[in-house]
Each structure stands twice: as C-alpha cells, then as structure tokens.
Amino acid sequence: MSICDIVIPVHHDMNAPLSHYFIYTGHNSYLTGNQLSSDCSDVPIIKALQRGVRVIELDLWPNSTKDDIVVVHGRTLTTPVSLVQCLKSIKEHAFVKSRYPVIITLEDHLTPDLQAKVAEMTTQIFGDMLYFPQTDPLTEFPTPELLKDRVLISTKPPKEYLDSKQFKDASDSERELGEEGSLSPALSVEVEADDRCNGSDHDEEGLNPRDKKPDQQNAPQYKRLITIHAGKPKGNIRDHLKIAGDVKRLSLSEQELEKASASYGADIIRFTQKNIIRVYPKGTRVTSSNYRPHIGWMYGAQMVAFNMQGHGKSLWYMQGMFRANGGCGYVKKPAFLMEKGPHNEFFDPKRTLPVKTTLKVKVYMGNGWSSDFSKTHFDTFSPPDFYTKVCIVGVPADQANKKTKVIQDNWFPIWDEEFEFPLRIPELALLRIEVREYDKHEKDDFGGQTCLPVPELKSGFRAVPLYDEKGEKLKSVKLLMRFQFT
C-alpha cells in the first residue's frame, strides 16, 4: 500500500485564519502553454481545479469593441477567452477535488463601467457561493473551515490603487517588462487597475448579493466583492512588511522575495503570521517554467504561484507538498513559522539547527515498466538499465541527493539499497524519488517520479506509485520501499 494510493482525509486544523496555511496557487491559470503565444482557455483552469489548485488567476482586459471582458495575457500574442466562460467553469469544477475555498485573483485593466460588469457577472454566476466580508476592512482572515464551498475574490481595490502612493501604477506585465527587458508573464494575484480605472469608493457596508435591494442587483459594488485586498510594494519592501491593523496580501516576484529574505527574513515571517504574501515567477520564464517553491514556503509565504501548464522538478515539488492534508489544497504551516522562539526570535531557515530526526529510505525493487512502456522505449535492442534517485528538498541544511547503483538489462530491477537523511526541519521537507534509465551516450531516459511530503510518511513497507513528467500517475509502475524514522 502507498500513501498515494490511500485517501488520507484532511487532518490539519482547518479553523485558523487563511494566513496560517500554504495554499495551492496557480499563475496565469488560463494559459494552455507558453506565456507569449499560447491559447487562453478554461481547459487549464478546469484541470488545475481537478488537481486541487485553490487559487486561480485571471487577467482581465476589454474585448475589441470595449463592451465586454476577456481573459488574456495582455500585450502578447495569446488568444483570448471570455470571462463568463472562465467563471462558469470555475463554478462547475471548484469543489470537485476539495470543498475548501477557491480564491480568484484578478489583474484588472478595465474601465469603471467594465469593472461594474465584472461585479454583476460574478455575483450572478456564483450567487450564494460568493463570499465577501460584511465589514470592511478585515483585521483577520476567515478560516478555511468557515469558507467551505465558497469562492473569494483577491484584488487591488480600484480607488485605493489610484490614490495610494505606496503602489506602482504598472501591472505585473509592465513591471516585469521593465525588470527583465522582455515581454513577460503577468503574474499578479490582484486586481490591478491601470490609469483608466476610477473605481468608486463608497462607504456602504458590503452586502451579499442576496441581501441587496432590487435596484442594487444590477450594479453590485466591485470593490465590496474583494475579501483579500492586495498590493505591490513601491520603494523599500521592508516598509510594507510593517504590521498594520488591516490584513492584506503583498505580491513579490521570486527575485524580490529572495532579495528581501536575505535582509529582512524575520520581517517577512512576522508579516506572514497575519497577512498573506504571494510569490510569482520572474518575467523571463516565458516557457512557463517554475522556481523552487521553498524560497517562499520557508519564509511563510502562503501563495507560491506556479505555472501549472509547465512541468519539471519545481512543479513536482509543488504537487508533492499538496499531496499532504488529504490533497485539499491547504496545508497548515508549521508552528515555528507562526510563533516566536524563547528569546523572541523568529525562525531562520538558513541557520543550521540540530538534527531533529533521521529518515531511512530503503529502495528494494521496482516493476510495471514493461506494462506501461513499449519494449523499445528505453533501449532498442536490450532491456533497460534502471537506477533510482532519492533526494530531500527543503531548507538548505536538509538538501541531499542519493542514488542507487544501475541494474543492467532488467525490466524488474532489484536494488536493495538504503539511504539515511538527517533532517533538521522535517516539517518542510519533501522526499523526491525518480527512476532513470542509464544511457552511456545520451541523456538518461525518464522512468517515473514522485514527490512525497515527509510529515505524511508512515514507517513501514510501501508500494509507491510513480508519475510521469507532467504529474499524471503511471498505470503500473511502482517501487517497493521502506521508510523509517529514528
């Protein structure tokens, strides 16, 4: 039996504020391929929701006649999809994998009239599924348990966006164009109004659509639909990490986060105990590649946004992390990211701490390749030469890479090798397992992979299923392994 075959129910405490969780987060969720010329569609949104992704990002632009809204990666060659289609697909598929809340993050390039149209569309399509606060602003985020089966909006309030000197006037796309020198993926998790946006700033209490008077039904307030208010820092990031009364979300590129964490790591962790940080890919990732998610997780960043249409090791790490907690898309952050230490200090992931536990991983054997692959897939004239890589991904001090010997000419390799991994922060560790077929003259062929959250591993023998490069489970390929903690 495998931890991936057994459906482990949700077992984390789901009654803490949203800021206490890592959340399965997508970037440019509507793109089918690369960031510059692929089609926009609701299909990748549906696929992401079916996998348990809980944060969907939409970039909103006027259509060619300026009387409706499309979802498209602006100022690129991507082809648009209608906002209505995206919202209807989100409604239909939001809770097929998990009942915990879906957050729609918007980057908005709309006029006030079109913003009002977005608000009307959203309330009509989602109805009672749409959650927004009865009081504004929030001093603490609601809990995932309270928000079961609900949809939330995260965006930059239009009026504040224009008036605030704290935030730049450029959208993510425009910021990254300046940063990278090339047109690049917009990865905001907020509604980013541009210079045309003059969102109203009324002070009425936010009401759910069903509570509004009939004459208000046709023009619900865009601003009042926002549960998670967002912004981007201008100037010194440290100034934006100061704790205020109202909770908010801050957007940082992967480079901004790495730079800030080098100088203000404790400030970031303090900020994320109550507020939310979203990390997004740098602008040069036009092929929809991703970054190492631990750069955000180890500082408490809740929304580490990924290109789900890509593939590769970084995406495997993301898939591995969110296999935890029943695959519900919310993983409770470790206590040390939510508390101060005995001397009022905050967690420092770059500090070498004492070993807390040692994970022993024994790789016995594997089979299933002869069923899932053709006889000539790996080698034309002989059986494959398999070896297994076993790695720990986590805080820098826990990183480790091991591999078995190569078993030559055998569809049913028996390795019988054990590896030890001393772990200082097992709460943030992932066990990455990958089988490769050795090739003397070319790149070793891929034979399957999986990534497992170490806190969810149970001691004992396990049949561990492997997945393809995109994260789809292979039908037959499994490894017989044993895990032990000492």
Side-chain angles (χ1 to χ4, degrees), residues 117 230 274 292:
K117 193 165 185 175
K274 192 174 181 182
R292 291 175 68 93

Side-chain angles (χ1 to χ4, degrees), residues 364-388:
Y364 285 99
M365 60 182 290
N367 65 24
W369 291 279
S370 58
S371 300
D372 291 352
F373 296 88
S374 70
K375 288 186 177 179
T376 57
H377 179 88
F378 297 105
D379 285 324
T380 307
F381 302 111
S382 65
D385 308 319
F386 289 127
Y387 65 92
T388 299

Side-chain angles (χ1 to χ4, degrees), residues 272-299:
T272 58
Q273 290 182 349
K274 192 174 181 182
N275 300 275
I276 290 173
I277 282 183
R278 173 165 177 152
V279 188
Y280 59 89
K282 63 185 178 182
T284 50
R285 295 189 182 278
V286 295
T287 61
S288 297
S289 64
N290 286 300
Y291 50 98
R292 291 175 68 93
H294 277 83
I295 69 167
W297 291 334
M298 63 190 186
Y299 287 99

Side-chain angles (χ1 to χ4, degrees), residues 115 156-163 193 197-199 222-223 226:
Q115 288 177 342
K156 201 174 284 180
K159 181 65 174 175
E160 283 91 326
Y161 175 88
L162 288 176
D163 290 348
C197 301
N198 300 300
Y222 183 67
K223 177 185 170 185
I226 304 165

Side-chain angles (χ1 to χ4, degrees), residues 283-325:
T284 50
R285 295 189 182 278
V286 295
T287 61
S288 297
S289 64
N290 286 300
Y291 50 98
R292 291 175 68 93
H294 277 83
I295 69 167
W297 291 334
M298 63 190 186
Y299 287 99
Q302 297 88 345
M303 296 182 178
V304 177
F306 260 45
N307 293 312
M308 298 300 172
Q309 68 275 27
H311 58 86
K313 287 181 193 174
S314 293
L315 190 57
W316 302 346
Y317 303 153
M318 180 68 67
Q319 292 165 349
M321 168 64 93
F322 290 101
R323 287 193 176 107
N325 199 27

